[in-house]
Amino acid sequence: MSSTQRLELRQGQTLTMTPQLLQSIKLLQLSHLELAAFVDAELERNPLLQHADEMAQDGPPDGKARAAQAERVIRRIFPQAGARHPQGLVSSKTGQASGSVPSEAGGDLEATQAGTVSLTDHLEAQLDLATADPLLRDTGRYVIHSLSETGYLADDVAEIASGCGASEDAVLRALALVQSFDPPGIAARTLSECLTIQLRERGRLDRPMETLLARLDLVARRDYAALRRLCDLDEEALAAKLSELRSLEPKPGLAFTVAPVDALVPDVFVRPQPDGSFHLELNATTMPRLLVDRTYQAQVSGHAMSKADQLFVSDCVRSATWLARSLDQRATTILKVATEIVGQQGDFFRHGAGHLRPMTLRAVAEAIGMHESTISRVTANKAVGTPAGTFPMKYFFSSALSGADGAEAQSSEAVRHRIKALIAAETRAAVLSDDAIAQRLKATGVDIARRTVAKYRESLRIPASAHRRRLNRRMTGPVP
């Protein structure tokens, strides 16, 4: 028996999903909070990445720019600071702070006090015990009321002196007194001063630590080689100092703040124009822009580096360039999709929810030449801000209900809105059944079955007509 072997050469095309492509796809569907966390992690990992607004700053930054820059440094040195919140989140159901509700047995006293006493009250109580000098007390209160939510002094000493009618020396004395209060680091003017106060109280403020505090920019960039040289420490000793530094609290005032429920934040703003058109604008606070810090790259590359260091810098440049480009592409794609949504749902933006049109992901994808899956990712976890409120992007997509007697098809979301309006307008003597609502909608051109009305009513969490009648009788007595 003989066997033959056959060798064939075939040519074909396949799509390879590179890690960069997968990451770009992931970026599209992230919410603004998830994106901020991702960008913060990349800023911490990659010393060549910088915020575009930070690099474009010409001359001395103003107060707002300084605050934004300080916040970025805090996030890169203390990555847990943005997510940490000692008092917990406010429950969206109960409106109570999960970290400040005492138990029936009394609960933890400190937790209860922290949840009910504001930062201002906490500091003023210490001020009354710390001094009997009327001038120092009055000036100290002015200082306390000038603190931001995070516990930093928001106003300049000269501004406080002018506002309270005291000398700058008196303000400085009052400031020094308030800075000695609990929580440690309170009333600092800079992040460096905040950390200095805490280290001094611990008895850990030595020369290497002072050097680290003076060069927090290098700490944020993780330029360990420069830090070892400046502090005259070996790698192990520097790591211990940095670990101690990161154990401090960069925002001492937040221990007395209850975080609110996260509101729906628009990714795109839609503003009507006098001529009936709409102006769309990206929300800059939810669309971070990053650039490659070429100046720092040149400084690093100018020094003799090992092969491993050269590979690290090269990888940082490649990663930073890709991420900056991906974020710009993400913003452009979101704006393009939002523009098409507004174009197809113009009547909604002019007249309200009752004028929503049926719209599918496929219809938008075909209109702008993108894949349906891309539209799905873009609209996930995104919101549109309008003069009538903020709406999730997914809100504008709904199935179609046939029109009665040849009328135009209706959006299911618009029909839900009309059902809600009909029930809201009903009287005690004329509570509408699901069948009556279906008949009224058919009279206006909506071909809808009674069971569909019931399904939509239940999705709106509106009780049935029999239950509404009983509720009316309990509240107001029998119908006359």
Side-chain angles (χ1 to χ4, degrees):
M1 180 180 290
S2 62
S3 62
T4 60
Q5 291 183 342
R6 187 176 179 182
L7 182 64
E8 292 185 357
L9 180 64
R10 295 182 181 180
Q11 185 177 10
Q13 290 183 337
T14 60
L15 178 62
T16 302
M17 297 290 283
T18 64
Q20 290 82 5
L21 180 58
L22 288 171
Q23 196 67 266
S24 295
I25 293 173
K26 179 183 177 182
L27 286 178
L28 273 179
Q29 60 191 22
L30 294 181
S31 69
H32 74 279
L33 291 176
E34 294 168 335
L35 181 65
F38 175 81
V39 168
D40 285 343
E42 288 298 308
L43 285 168
E44 181 184 356
R45 186 189 68 83
N46 193 334
L48 296 183
L49 271 177
Q50 291 291 323
H51 275 278
D53 55 350
E54 182 179 343
M55 293 183 66
Q57 187 72 39
D58 294 324
D62 58 18
K64 185 177 181 180
R66 281 198 303 271
Q69 187 173 357
E71 179 64 24
R72 286 192 286 272
V73 171
I74 287 175
R75 287 184 177 182
R76 296 182 76 170
I77 300 176
F78 305 91
Q80 77 281 12
R84 176 176 55 206
H85 214 294
Q87 296 310 316
L89 295 175
V90 173
S91 167
S92 58
K93 295 181 178 179
T94 65
Q96 295 177 315
S98 60
S100 62
V101 181
S103 65
E104 294 181 2
D108 181 73
L109 179 60
E110 290 183 2
T112 303
Q113 289 177 336
T116 56
V117 178
S118 68
L119 176 63
T120 299
D121 292 339
H122 180 67
L123 295 174
E124 285 188 341
Q126 295 176 75
L127 178 65
D128 290 337
L129 295 174
T131 180
D133 184 339
L135 176 60
L136 193 55
R137 277 189 176 182
D138 290 343
T139 310
R141 282 192 173 85
Y142 204 98
V143 168
I144 290 170
H145 284 269
S146 300
L147 300 182
S148 68
E149 183 186 53
T150 55
Y152 284 81
L153 188 65
D155 300 326
D156 294 330
V157 170
E159 293 175 344
I160 295 175
S162 175
C164 66
S167 67
E168 291 190 22
D169 286 341
V171 173
L172 289 172
R173 288 197 302 274
L175 177 60
L177 181 62
V178 175
Q179 287 181 345
S180 69
F181 294 166
D182 177 76
I186 201 69
R189 288 161 286 188
T190 63
L191 173 62
S192 178
E193 186 176 36
C194 176
L195 303 179
T196 297
I197 294 170
Q198 296 178 55
L199 287 166
R200 184 181 294 119
E201 182 175 297
R202 295 184 181 188
R204 301 291 296 169
L205 188 62
D206 54 16
R207 193 197 65 80
M209 195 64 85
E210 288 177 345
T211 303
L212 291 178
L213 293 173
R215 296 307 308 267
L216 289 176
D217 58 324
L218 296 179
V219 177
R221 283 179 169 176
R222 295 192 169 189
D223 192 342
Y224 299 141
L227 291 172
R228 285 197 299 270
R229 186 170 59 253
L230 291 172
C231 297
D232 193 22
L233 296 173
D234 59 27
E235 186 174 344
E236 185 177 351
L238 177 64
K241 291 292 182 184
L242 291 174
S243 177
E244 184 174 10
L245 186 68
R246 292 189 175 102
S247 71
L248 304 175
E249 175 52 69
K251 299 178 181 180
L254 288 187
F256 295 83
T257 304
V258 176
V261 176
D262 288 331
L264 195 61
V265 178
D267 295 272
V268 181
F269 293 108
V270 179
R271 296 184 174 91
Q273 302 299 298
D275 62 356
S277 63
F278 298 96
H279 173 71
L280 277 74
E281 181 182 356
L282 292 171
N283 184 354
T285 62
T286 65
M287 302 284 173
R289 290 185 62 243
L290 301 180
L291 296 175
V292 182
D293 191 342
R294 299 295 181 182
T295 302
Y296 186 62
Q297 179 189 355
Q299 292 175 355
V300 173
S301 301
H303 294 83
M305 293 188 295
S306 65
K307 187 69 174 178
D309 289 340
Q310 291 175 7
L311 289 174
F312 173 74
V313 172
S314 176
D315 179 65
C316 285
V317 172
R318 185 168 54 253
S319 175
T321 303
W322 165 81
L323 181 57
R325 188 186 302 119
S326 295
L327 289 175
D328 286 342
Q329 184 179 2
R330 176 183 183 272
T332 301
T333 305
I334 290 174
L335 185 59
K336 188 174 183 179
V337 171
T339 301
E340 181 60 27
I341 290 174
V342 173
Q344 294 198 27
Q345 298 287 6
D347 286 343
F348 166 85
F349 292 97
R350 295 185 184 94
H351 308 298
H355 296 266
L356 267 174
R357 295 178 54 196
M359 188 174 72
T360 63
L361 295 172
R362 177 175 295 181
V364 173
E366 291 176 350
I368 61 179
M370 290 185 176
H371 196 275
E372 188 176 339
S373 63
T374 302
I375 307 301
S376 178
R377 292 186 181 97
V378 170
T379 55
N381 307 311
K382 312 295 187 307
V384 177
T386 75
T390 302
F391 300 86
M393 274 194 183
K394 292 288 189 184
Y395 174 81
F396 300 101
F397 295 87
S398 60
S399 56
L401 289 176
S402 301
D405 300 325
E408 184 181 359
Q410 300 286 320
S411 161
S412 58
E413 191 61 44
V415 173
R416 281 190 183 89
H417 177 79
R418 293 171 69 174
I419 291 172
K420 185 177 180 180
L422 285 171
I423 293 175
E426 65 187 9
T427 64
R428 288 181 59 208
V431 175
L432 298 174
S433 66
D434 292 340
D435 188 61
I437 293 174
Q439 293 303 319
R440 290 199 180 190
L441 289 174
K442 286 180 181 178
T444 61
V446 182
D447 187 11
I448 188 171
R450 182 203 60 78
R451 63 179 179 276
T452 306
V453 171
K455 182 179 72 173
Y456 287 178
R457 173 182 52 73
E458 290 170 359
S459 71
L460 293 168
R461 297 184 179 180
I462 297 175
S465 56
H467 183 86
R468 299 202 303 276
R469 289 191 190 95
R470 288 196 297 271
L471 187 62
N472 284 340
R473 284 196 292 271
R474 289 197 201 103
M475 295 177 63
T476 58
V479 177

